[in-house]
Amino acid sequence: MSIVLALLFALPIWAQKPKSAEIKSYFGRPTIHVNGLPQTPSFYALTHAYGGRWSWEEVPARNIKNFCNIGIRLFQVDLYLEDIWYKNTGNLDIAKVQRQVRGVLDQCPDAGVVIRVHVNAPFWWNEANPDECTQYADGPVDKILKSGAPHNNEEHDIDRVLRASLASEKWKKESGEKLIELCQKLAKTPEGNAVMGMHLSGGIYGEWHYWGFINHDPDTGVAMTRYFRNWLKNKYKTTENLQKAWNNATFSLENAGVPDVAERLRTQDGMFKDPAQEQRVIDYFTAQQQVVAEDAIYFCRLAKQNWPRKLITGIFYGYLHMTFNRQTVGGHLFVKEILESPYIDYLAAPQTYWENTRKAGGSGISRGIIESTLLHGKLWLDEIDNGYLHPENNYDNIRFKERYDPVYEAILKRCGLLPLMRGIGYWYYDFGLQKGFGWWDNPQYLANIKVEKEVFDKRLQVPYQSEADVLYVWSQDVFYYLKSAWTPLSMNVLDHSTEQAMRAGVVGDHVYDFDLERVNLNRYKAVVFMNVYHLTDAQKQFIVSKVAQNNRTIVWNYLTGYSDGRTLNLDFVKHLTGIEMVRIELKKAPRVNFLSPAYSYKFDAEVAPLVEIKDANAQVLAQLDSTNQVMIARKKMPDYTSVFCALPLNGTTGFREIFRQAGCHIYNEQNDFTYANSGLLLLHTKDGGERILHLKNGQTVKISLQKASTTLFDATTGKVLLQ
């Protein structure tokens, strides 16, 4: 045997040539390319949790093999710096990283691997560097809370835990150095050849939420205070400018501190903060948001710059839906800067946790604003982590229980088909491994996933084409000017009414307000400003001159443009909408009566500020219960139709009727989730029954649907493609 053959046979069976990966446009959508070849963005991922996170262990290995056998070639595994950066040691434990990647390759030799690298400081580092750690405005760090075995590394992230401040330069520098070491060493190993990407994770659950943000108020620590003062110096230059902006002579650039809880929660106008009085809090939240975005970009840049080949990098970011009414404290408000970064290739999030959206009959939509992500050439990846919806989650440690449920099967189909139709992708994140099996370790589920991927493999060269004629416009900046806690409108607009709109049988695209100029407005017959209560003068001018034109219907959902970033003024709303209104007070939870079709909806508490429409030239669409004060009205303008909602629009039938009057195409008159894109039509139903679908070419499709079913059609012929 020759020396060459001997060396060849000495290599492990999974040895492969080095993979390079990038995301670039392919037939109109951002697409993963591995060694130059486009890939359907369909991943399988092990969980981060103890009991299911190591690829070489028996149950994870079986499930990796399951997904490899059905054609999945993209995999993700979790890795914490905590796992490989030990106390009092100089070098990383690269062998453990190799073993994690090798475990995937042992089951799927030609796999491409993305490593989710959690760059949070190890727990021993936090204990050794207390001045670099987060402090909380609502109480001290709870030192009783411990992380790590037997708890998961992320066990207490939402509590007042000891964690390195996301403003700590020392943490950032030292963790960055370890990331560089990881990249440079791993890239030289055989296992490194299979690595095609890194998902850089930090903050709560690795999702770049600030520590403790759901119920607590970070960060008053030394590191954050230092960052905030430097941030103020860059913005204001002089103490005089600072004191003028804050309307307060107490503070200087040298002594400015982080606001306390009372200041953070204070509002002057119902749920709104007045910038003229609360700029100090607005500045702090802006600085906190900025430092998190800087961290994410920094670690992605280090990974790209220290990998010898093209490497895709991504982060959890861009959450809007289901952010627990705490967007300023721990949300993702610097999304524009993230989308514009050359160091970030994709954004990701779990599909929304809003219960009515996740369960059978719901839309299962992403938590982010997808069409804006695509406009910036970034891929979006949904995390499918809903196996707990399966009714048979229990086990007895001895006997395997066969896992199949037709209702969950329909949910799972919707979760996989919708992202691929929208021009994005997903990974299955398998918490089920903790309980002795995988969530999807079932022949029927695996067979469905296999068929779905094969359909979209064949459609990679079908050009992406939006079928939407409604455009939903969203804002992240608005949260700086809103109460950083629950209000009657917070989850109502972002989650509850959004889900109702998704079931109106009309297809919509979703973008941020800052992307309006990027959008081809010609395709939309209706534009809905969902939560855009803050607009700059330039944005308002663009809306008036470009959006409110061509006979479109513009839906102003509550007080669109109420703040310009300097003050609050109802005249801004009047001038923008062209509708007259006056302020009113209602000392109870409002109930709205929509007139035609007739139905009612109620908010959970008193809403303020509140206005009544007082415009004789406007057609009344909805009134306040018991007083008949006008809450929603339509007014025909010379170039467009203005629909103003003094209280946010709720109700699928109301959305459908307004869209019908706007001339939008209605595929389905029932309250199922219906979506179309690039020649495909998706219908997901909970109740089933007879349906008549109206295709855009004038044809109708009559079909009898089973309860809890998901069906994929050809949008031109109506032919059933998957059922």
Side-chain angles (χ1 to χ4, degrees), residues 48 78 80 116-120 154 157-158 166 199-211 213-214 289 292 296 315-319 321-324 330-332 348-351 353 358 367 380 383 385 427 429 431:
H48 71 278
D78 277 72
Y80 292 79
R116 185 186 295 190
V117 182
H118 296 258
V119 296
N120 301 325
E154 302 175 353
D157 283 359
I158 63 173
L166 295 179
H199 183 100
L200 285 306
S201 288
I204 289 181
Y205 305 151
E207 296 174 79
W208 293 112
H209 301 305
Y210 216 102
W211 304 115
F213 90 103
I214 296 177
Q289 289 287 331
V292 175
I315 58 172
F316 287 117
Y317 205 85
Y319 296 18
H321 305 296
M322 270 303 293
T323 321
F324 313 106
H332 297 152
Q351 292 174 339
Y353 290 107
R358 275 214 156 189
R367 289 174 78 183
W380 181 280
E383 179 170 288
D385 61 353
W427 62 69
Y429 199 64
F431 286 103

Side-chain angles (χ1 to χ4, degrees), residues 120-162:
N120 301 325
F123 304 130
W124 60 260
W125 191 99
N126 299 332
E127 292 172 346
N129 295 275
D131 285 346
E132 298 295 328
C133 289
T134 301
Q135 297 291 327
Y136 302 88
D138 60 313
V141 171
D142 190 343
K143 296 183 179 179
I144 296 176
L145 300 175
K146 300 295 181 182
S147 298
H151 305 288
N152 295 323
N153 286 350
E154 302 175 353
E155 194 77 20
H156 299 293
D157 283 359
I158 63 173
D159 300 312
R160 289 199 305 266
V161 285
L162 186 68

Side-chain angles (χ1 to χ4, degrees), residues 40-43 351 366 379-383 419-420 423-427:
T40 300
S42 177
F43 287 75
Q351 292 174 339
S366 307
L379 182 63
W380 181 280
L381 293 172
D382 276 355
E383 179 170 288
L420 296 178
I424 63 175
Y426 59 78
W427 62 69

Side-chain angles (χ1 to χ4, degrees), residues 188-203:
K188 297 175 182 177
T189 67
E191 293 83 2
N193 290 342
V195 174
M196 51 170 277
M198 288 192 181
H199 183 100
L200 285 306
S201 288

Side-chain angles (χ1 to χ4, degrees), residues 370-598:
I370 298 305
E371 281 70 37
S372 266
T373 309
L374 301 181
L375 283 170
H376 288 264
K378 309 293 188 188
L379 182 63
W380 181 280
L381 293 172
D382 276 355
E383 179 170 288
I384 300 173
D385 61 353
N386 60 13
Y388 63 86
L389 295 175
H390 197 290
E392 293 295 332
N393 262 327
N394 58 325
Y395 69 110
D396 65 6
N397 287 321
I398 300 172
R399 300 168 185 85
F400 174 79
K401 292 189 176 182
E402 188 64 39
R403 287 174 55 78
Y404 173 74
D405 176 71
V407 175
Y408 181 69
E409 181 183 26
I411 295 171
L412 191 59
K413 283 183 178 179
R414 178 205 67 201
C415 290
L417 291 173
L418 178 60
L420 296 178
M421 286 180 67
R422 293 188 79 179
I424 63 175
Y426 59 78
W427 62 69
Y428 294 96
Y429 199 64
D430 202 347
F431 286 103
L433 301 171
Q434 296 172 275
K435 294 191 173 183
F437 43 72
W439 268 341
W440 305 291
D441 190 354
N442 173 274
Q444 186 61 51
Y445 300 155
L446 292 168
N448 289 339
I449 294 169
K450 180 177 187 291
V451 171
E452 292 161 15
K453 182 178 181 298
E454 289 173 348
V455 167
F456 284 90
D457 283 344
K458 294 175 182 177
R459 292 181 59 83
L460 275 172
Q461 295 184 353
V462 174
Y464 175 88
Q465 178 60 52
S466 171
E467 305 287 350
D469 47 16
V470 175
L471 181 66
Y472 298 93
V473 183
W474 298 92
S475 174
Q476 290 275 24
D477 285 345
V478 70
F479 295 112
Y480 294 120
Y481 307 97
L482 297 175
K483 188 180 185 71
S484 59
W486 180 89
T487 73
L489 302 190
S490 52
M491 298 183 96
N492 178 276
V493 174
L494 297 182
D495 302 302
H496 175 70
S497 68
T498 298
E499 177 60 22
Q500 294 171 337
M502 296 303 97
R503 302 194 202 184
V506 179
V507 177
D509 287 340
H510 299 253
V511 299
Y512 287 118
D513 50 2
F514 57 75
D515 276 334
L516 269 175
E517 295 186 24
R518 292 173 173 261
V519 172
N520 177 9
L521 292 167
N522 293 330
R523 66 165 57 103
Y524 303 112
K525 295 180 180 179
V527 177
V528 187
F529 288 90
M530 288 294 287
N531 73 330
V532 190
Y533 320 135
H534 165 261
L535 287 168
T536 66
D537 293 341
Q539 286 177 314
K540 286 184 280 191
Q541 178 58 37
F542 182 83
I543 290 168
V544 170
S545 63
K546 300 295 183 181
V547 183
Q549 298 290 328
N550 299 330
N551 294 316
R552 288 190 196 93
T553 293
I554 311 298
V555 181
W556 318 96
N557 200 36
Y558 194 52
L559 300 179
T560 308
Y562 186 48
S563 174
D564 64 354
R566 299 182 296 271
T567 188
L568 306 173
N569 193 330
L570 190 58
D571 286 341
F572 296 158
V573 185
K574 295 179 186 179
H575 295 154
L576 187 62
T577 64
I579 290 180
E580 291 299 317
M581 61 193 76
V582 296
R583 292 191 65 136
I584 61 173
E585 288 190 7
L586 184 69
K587 296 299 183 182
K588 63 179 181 178
R591 178 183 291 275
V592 177
N593 296 328
F594 205 91
L595 301 184
S596 181

